[in-house]
Every structure is written in C-alpha cells, then in structure tokens.
Amino acid sequence: MNHKINYRTILETSNGNLAKLHDIVLKALEEEELISEKLKNNQDLSLAEKMADRVASFGGSWRFIITFSIIILIWISTNVLLLKNHGFDPYPFILLNLMLSCIAALQAPIIMMSQNRKEERDRLRAEQDYMINLKAEIEIRTLHDKIDLLITEQMKNLFDIQKVQMDSIDKLRKTLHEHLKPG
C-alpha cells in the first residue's frame, strides 16, 4: 500500500492553528493587556486525573522502589524461611508473580495517562510561549518604530535650529558688513 502524505493539508492545518494563536495575540495587543495574564489556565483535574498523577509520581520514585523491594523480600523470606517453603506462596512464588503482573498491568496505563496529560500541558505551554514571544516581538518592533520617529523628529528640529542659527549668523554678518563698510 502506498500512502501519499498530503503536505498541503498538514500545512493548512498548521497555518489554521497559527492563525488562531495570532488572533489571540492581536486581541491582547488591542486590549493592551499582558498576554501571560490572559493565558493563565487553572485546570480543575478530575479525581481520576489526580490519582493518575499521584500513582505516576509514586511509581517513579525511589520510595516506591525501596518499599516494593522490602515487601518482596518479606514475602519471599516469609514463604521460604519462616514457613519452610510450605506457606501461602511456595517457590516459584506464583501468587507473587500474579500480583506483580496485575500491578504492572494497572500501573502502566495510569502512568501513560499522566504522561499524556503532561504532554498536553507541555504543548499548551509551548503555544503560550510562542504567543508571548510573538507579542514581545511586535511590541519591540513598535518601540523601534517609535524611536525611529523620535530620532527623525529630533533631526528635523536640529536642522530647523541650525537653519535659524545660520540665518542669524547671516544677519549678523550683513549688519557687521554694513557697519564696517567705509562710507
């Protein structure tokens, strides 16, 4: 099967998303407000999302690794040493393997949910950074134009002052020339 990628559609979708971001920036510029304030997004997480974040946080910590290692050592020690391999889960620890498999089967999708939400937050943060940078660039260009205008006006004023000074010098020269003329 030969799948042909439609680059035009991809670019149009990308341009559409950028246009939405540009509209937000333009609105912020028109309203003269900080775009970072406009973008603050306090998301209320559901109970499941909060639990997924906690499980992912705990599952990826040294506390989890150490706690789980201790539980496994106690489990194995109890069955092999204390109960002389005739306990509730004798060697090869089928019940322990089943529990570990169940924990892994439950923990993996929960961690993936948390990672997907983190990826979405990172994408939103990148969009927000783009909008803030775009607004900053526009503001800097505006300031640059204003400074250029001020410099131009200053130069015009300086030339006007210089012209007045030159006219005054010419008048003084004529007056001096007329007073010093022999006659």
Side-chain angles (χ1 to χ4, degrees):
M1 255 197 230
N2 188 4
H3 294 287
K4 200 167 192 177
I5 298 173
N6 189 346
Y7 295 111
R8 183 174 303 283
T9 304
I10 293 171
L11 287 174
E12 287 171 357
T13 303
S14 179
N15 288 340
N17 292 338
L18 285 176
K20 289 176 188 174
L21 297 179
H22 291 178
D23 289 341
I24 293 170
V25 171
L26 287 173
K27 188 174 181 183
L29 284 167
E30 289 168 358
E31 294 173 358
E32 294 184 5
E33 66 179 31
L34 293 176
I35 200 163
S36 58
E37 292 297 321
K38 190 177 191 79
L39 296 175
K40 281 191 177 170
N41 191 358
N42 296 331
Q43 292 179 339
D44 292 327
L45 298 177
S46 69
L47 179 63
E49 290 172 331
K50 288 177 185 176
M51 285 179 54
D53 285 344
R54 287 188 189 134
V55 168
S57 175
F58 178 69
S61 69
W62 279 106
R63 191 171 62 174
F64 171 77
I65 293 170
I66 292 169
T67 303
F68 215 66
S69 298
I70 291 171
I71 290 171
I72 291 172
L73 284 173
I74 291 172
W75 183 287
I76 292 171
S77 300
T78 302
N79 280 290
V80 172
L81 300 176
L82 293 177
L83 301 175
K84 309 253 190 254
N85 214 21
H86 296 295
F88 54 90
D89 188 23
Y91 181 81
F93 312 113
I94 295 171
L95 183 58
L96 177 64
N97 283 320
L98 177 64
M99 287 177 44
L100 292 174
S101 297
C102 289
I103 289 171
L106 292 173
Q107 191 179 24
I110 291 172
I111 290 172
M112 287 177 67
M113 286 187 293
S114 180
Q115 290 300 316
N116 288 342
R117 201 170 34 267
K118 182 182 182 309
E119 182 179 313
E120 178 66 20
R121 283 191 307 260
D122 289 345
R123 187 188 61 74
L124 285 172
R125 191 174 300 122
E127 285 179 358
Q128 291 173 353
D129 288 347
Y130 171 78
M131 288 187 287
I132 289 169
N133 290 340
L134 179 61
K135 184 178 181 206
E137 180 180 344
I138 291 169
E139 293 287 351
I140 288 169
R141 285 184 182 188
T142 303
L143 287 172
H144 190 274
D145 291 343
K146 287 178 181 179
I147 289 172
D148 285 348
L149 182 65
L150 284 172
I151 289 172
T152 303
E153 286 179 17
Q154 262 187 337
M155 292 299 288
K156 184 180 177 275
N157 288 340
L158 287 173
F159 286 136
D160 289 344
I161 291 169
Q162 185 180 19
K163 185 177 186 275
V164 168
Q165 288 174 341
M166 293 300 286
D167 290 345
S168 295
I169 289 172
D170 284 343
K171 282 182 186 176
L172 278 173
R173 201 179 279 151
K174 283 181 185 175
T175 307
L176 196 70
H177 185 65
E178 286 176 9
H179 284 14
L180 293 177
K181 215 187 222 186

